[in-house]
C-alpha cells in the first residue's frame, strides 16, 4: 500500500482501489452495450489492458571511463526489473553531468518531460506543479528507508519531492609520502593547514593546498570553508547569510593566509576546477585537497599513498562538513505513477543501491544499504565518509533561487580571493543577488 494523503494527489493503493471500481463500472457498460448491439461490440478494452507502458529515465554519467560508465549499471537494473514486470519497459538516457540538467530543462520546456530524472535540482519543477510527491510513487517501506537528513533536504514546505539518489561528503585528503617526508601530521585547524602548506612549499610541492574555486564546483569548496568557519549559505531558519561576519572572516583568511602566501599553487583558484585538482593529487603534485570518495579510486589507480582526515576548522570543534546528494524526481506529464513507482522501488532495493555506490565510490542513501556497508569488512575509508553524513550540511536545494545563486557563486566567488579582491564586497554582492532571486519584484541589486 502507498501512503494516503489528503488534498495533494493519491497514494498508489487508493488509485488501485478507485481504478478497480472504475474498471468494474466500465466493464458493466461495455457488456450492456455489447448485448444491445447484438454482438457488434469491440475488444478495445482488452487491448487497452494489454497495452505496454514504456518509461523513460534521464540520468547523468557517474563513471569516468567506458569500463565504469553508468550505462552498464542501468542495463542490469532495467533487465532485472523488466523480467519481473512484463508489460513495462524502461529506456535510460545517460548524459554527461555538465549537460544533463540542460537536457532535462529543454525536454520539460518542450512538453517532453521524462517519467523520471536524476538531477542536481528539483525545487523549480516542484514549485511549477510538475512533480509527483515521493509518496505518490514510493512504497512506505522505500520512502522510510531514506537517511533522514537526505530525505528532509528533498522537501518543500514539508512535502518530499526530491528523492535522494547518490550522496557524498567531504574529507581532507593528504599525500602520505609528502607529509611523512616533511614530518607532518594531518592538520586539525586552519592554522595547521597553513603550517603544513608552508612546510610543503619549502619542499617545492607544486600545490601545497589545492583550492578549486573554478566554475566546475566552486560552490562546494566554498561551502566547505564557510561551514568550517561556523556559518554557511543559510542560517537555521533557511535565510541566506552569504555576507555574515563569519563568512567574511573565512574568505578573508583564505585570501590572506593561503592564496596571498602562494600556498595554493601556480594556477589561480578561480581557474582551478575540481577535476584538475583531483588529477594533480593523483599525480602526486598536491599536498592537501578537500575531496569526495571518488578521489580514493583515482589516487589508488595512480599509486599515490593518501590519508583522509576531517575537514579542518577555525578550531578543532568546527562545524559540519559539506554533504551533497543528487535527486531522483518523477514528472506528472508522462502519467505512469504506478509503473514509475514500481521501478523506483526496484532501484532503491538494498542490492541495487549497494551496486551503484560500490561502482562509483559514492555513499548509499538508505538505512539498509548504509548498515550493510558499515558492517562489511574493508571499506574503512568509505565508512569514514559515511560517518560524516548524519551531521553534514547540504545545499539549500529546496529554494527555487538556489540554481541561479549557485551559478553566481561558481563564476564570482573567486574574485574575493584574487589580488585586489574584497571578500566583503563580493559576499555582499552575492547576498544581494540571493535576495533578488528570492524576491524577483525587488530587482537584482
Amino acid at each position: 500500500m502507498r501512503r494516503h494523503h489528503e488534498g495533494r494527489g493519491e497514494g498508489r493503493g487508493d488509485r488501485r482501489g478507485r481504478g478497480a471500481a472504475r474498471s468494474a463500472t466500465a466493464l458493466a457498460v461495455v457488456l450492456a452495450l455489447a448485448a444491445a448491439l447484438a454482438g457488434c461490440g469491440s475488444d478495445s478494452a482488452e487491448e487497452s489492458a494489454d497495452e505496454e507502458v514504456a518509461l523513460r529515465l534521464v540520468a547523468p554519467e557517474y563513471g569516468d571511463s567506458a569500463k565504469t560508465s553508468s550505462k552498464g549499471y542501468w542495463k542490469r537494473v532495467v533487465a532485472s526489473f523488466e523480467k519481473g514486470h512484463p508489460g513495462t519497459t524502461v529506456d535510460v538516457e545517460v548524459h554527461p553531468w555538465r549537460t544533463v540538467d540542460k537536457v532535462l530543462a529543454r525536454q520539460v520546456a518542450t512538453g517532453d518531460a521524462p517519467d523520471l530524472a536524476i538531477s542536481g535540482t528539483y525545487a523549480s519543477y516542484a514549485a511549477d506543479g510538475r512533480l509527483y510527491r515521493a509518496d505518490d510513487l514510493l512504497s512506505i517501506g522505500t520512502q522510510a528507508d531514506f537517511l533522514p537528513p537526505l530525505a528532509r533536504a528533498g522537501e518543500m514546505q514539508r512535502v518530499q519531492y526530491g528523492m535522494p539518489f547518490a550522496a557524498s561528503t567531504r574529507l581532507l585528503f593528504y599525500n602520505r609520502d609528502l607529509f611523512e617526508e616533511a614530518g607532518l601530521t594531518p592538520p586539525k585547524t586552519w592554522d595547521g593547514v597553513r603550517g603544513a602548506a608552508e612546510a610543503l612549499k619549502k619542499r617545492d610541492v607544486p600545490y601545497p593546498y589545492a583550492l578549486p574555486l573554478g566554475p566546475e564546483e566552486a560552490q562546494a569548496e566554498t561551502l566547505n570553508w564557510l561551514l568550517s568557519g561556523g556559518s554557511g549559505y543559510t542560517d537555521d531558519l533557511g535565510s541566506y547569510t552569504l555576507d555574515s561576519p563569519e563568512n567574511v572572516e573565512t574568505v578573508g583568511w583564505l585570501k590572506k593566509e593561503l592564496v596571498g602566501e602562494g600556498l595554493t599553487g601556480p594556477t589561480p583558484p578561480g581557474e582551478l576546477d575540481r577535476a584538475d585538482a583531483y588529477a594533480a593529487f593523483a599525480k602526486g603534485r598536491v599536498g592537501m585537497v578537500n575531496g569526495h570518495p571518488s578521489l580514493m579510486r583515482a589516487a589508488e589507480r595512480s599509486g599515490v599513498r593518501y590519508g583522509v582526515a576531517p575537514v579542518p576548522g577555525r578550531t578543532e570543534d568546527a562545524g559540519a562538513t559539506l554533504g551533497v546528494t543528487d535527486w531522483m524526481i518523477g514528472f506528472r506529464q508522462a502519467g505512469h505513477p504506478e509503473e514509475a513507482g514500481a521501478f523506483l522501488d526496484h532501484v532503491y532495493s538494498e542490492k541495487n543501491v549497494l551496486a551503484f555506490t560500490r561502482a562509483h565510490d559514492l555513499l548509499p542513501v538508505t538505512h539498509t544499504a548504509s548498515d550493510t556497508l558499515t558492517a562489511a569488512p574493508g571499506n574503512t575509508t568509505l565508512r569514514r565518509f559515511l560517518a560524516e553524513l548524519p551531521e553534514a550540511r547540504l545545499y539549500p536545494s529546496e529554494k527555487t533561487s538556489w540554481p541561479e545563486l549557485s551559478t553566481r557563486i561558481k563564476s564570482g566567488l573567486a574574485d574575493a580571493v584574487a589580488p585586489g579582491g574584497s571578500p566583503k564586497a563580493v559576499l555582499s554582492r552575492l547576498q544581494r543577488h540571493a535576495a533578488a532571486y528570492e524576491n524577483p519584484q525587488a530587482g537584482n541589486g
Side-chain angles (χ1 to χ4, degrees):
M1 285 288 289
R2 310 290 163 177
R3 283 193 335 199
H4 175 66
H5 47 270
E6 298 179 0
R8 297 289 300 274
E10 300 174 312
R12 283 169 63 185
D14 297 311
R15 288 195 299 274
R16 289 188 179 123
R18 295 179 188 183
R22 288 196 296 269
S23 298
T25 302
L27 181 60
V29 171
V30 170
L31 292 176
L33 182 60
L37 296 177
C40 295
S42 170
D43 60 355
S44 61
E46 180 179 350
E47 291 174 353
S48 177
D50 292 338
E51 182 181 353
E52 288 195 356
V53 170
L55 300 176
R56 185 159 58 93
L57 166 65
V58 172
E61 175 60 81
Y62 287 91
D64 58 5
S65 67
K67 184 177 180 180
T68 62
S69 173
S70 300
K71 294 179 181 179
Y73 168 80
W74 287 115
K75 183 177 181 180
R76 291 186 292 272
V77 169
V78 168
S80 59
F81 172 77
E82 291 179 348
K83 183 177 181 180
H85 296 80
T88 302
T89 61
V90 184
D91 177 52
V92 182
E93 301 175 15
V94 177
H95 299 275
W97 251 122
R98 66 180 181 276
T99 61
V100 65
D101 281 339
K102 293 179 181 178
V103 170
L104 177 61
R106 183 170 62 249
Q107 291 180 355
V108 173
T110 58
D112 188 32
D115 296 89
L116 300 166
I118 299 170
S119 173
T121 182
Y122 67 85
S124 60
Y125 296 127
D128 290 342
R130 297 181 183 275
L131 300 184
Y132 286 113
R133 297 163 52 128
D135 53 3
D136 286 331
L137 301 172
L138 301 175
S139 66
I140 293 175
T142 297
Q143 190 174 10
D145 199 24
F146 289 133
L147 296 172
L150 305 183
R152 288 194 297 269
E155 294 179 352
M156 286 183 65
Q157 299 179 348
R158 299 182 183 278
V159 176
Q160 185 181 0
Y161 296 96
M163 295 163 277
F165 178 72
S168 67
T169 55
R170 299 295 191 269
L171 290 173
L172 178 73
F173 280 74
Y174 61 94
N175 184 305
R176 283 188 177 276
D177 289 333
L178 296 178
F179 264 59
E180 290 172 4
E181 290 167 6
L184 299 172
T185 57
K188 297 180 180 180
T189 65
W190 292 355
D191 287 342
V193 170
R194 181 186 57 201
E198 290 172 343
L200 293 169
K201 182 181 180 182
K202 290 178 181 178
R203 301 181 69 85
D204 297 324
V205 174
Y207 293 88
Y209 180 92
L211 185 67
L213 295 179
E216 180 187 3
E217 204 182 43
Q219 84 285 1
E221 182 72 13
T222 300
L223 184 52
N224 248 329
W225 281 96
L226 300 186
L227 291 172
S228 71
S231 188
Y233 290 143
T234 59
D235 60 20
D236 292 338
L237 298 178
S239 299
Y240 283 119
T241 56
L242 279 89
D243 61 350
S244 69
E246 295 88 349
N247 287 346
V248 172
E249 184 176 349
T250 295
V251 178
W253 188 92
L254 282 174
K255 174 180 170 59
K256 179 182 178 182
E257 304 293 343
L258 288 188
V259 181
E261 295 297 323
L263 302 176
T264 55
T267 304
E271 299 175 17
L272 183 66
D273 280 332
R274 181 196 68 185
D276 297 328
Y278 285 12
F281 186 88
K283 294 177 181 177
R285 294 168 51 82
V286 173
M288 295 172 283
V289 64
N290 286 331
H292 60 54
S294 69
L295 184 52
M296 296 187 300
R297 182 173 296 185
E300 290 165 358
R301 278 201 302 254
S302 60
V304 169
R305 295 178 61 239
Y306 67 90
V308 295
V311 173
R314 189 190 308 274
T315 64
E316 288 191 26
D317 298 322
T321 188
L322 166 68
V324 176
T325 188
D326 305 323
W327 303 107
M328 178 77 77
I329 50 181
F331 286 90
R332 290 181 172 275
Q333 179 187 337
H336 300 128
E338 292 283 344
E339 294 80 6
F343 180 64
L344 289 179
D345 283 344
H346 182 69
V347 168
Y348 284 110
S349 67
E350 179 182 349
K351 175 183 177 181
N352 286 328
V353 171
L354 285 173
F356 180 83
T357 56
R358 286 168 172 160
H360 299 293
D361 288 326
L362 291 168
L363 303 180
V365 297
T366 62
H367 284 290
T368 51
S370 297
D371 290 346
T372 298
L373 186 63
T374 300
N379 296 323
T380 303
T381 303
L382 199 59
R383 286 203 297 269
R384 294 191 64 178
F385 281 97
L386 190 58
E388 297 285 333
L389 196 53
E391 301 300 325
R393 289 277 295 275
L394 282 75
Y395 300 131
S397 301
E398 76 283 359
K399 290 179 171 291
T400 57
S401 57
W402 171 243
E404 290 180 291
L405 181 59
S406 176
T407 299
R408 287 280 185 178
I409 294 170
K410 291 177 183 179
S411 63
L413 191 282
D415 292 343
V417 300
S422 167
K424 183 173 178 59
V426 170
L427 290 172
S428 294
R429 183 170 68 243
L430 289 171
Q431 179 68 23
R432 291 195 297 272
H433 284 304
Y437 295 144
E438 286 279 88
N439 303 285
Q441 301 86 348
N444 197 358

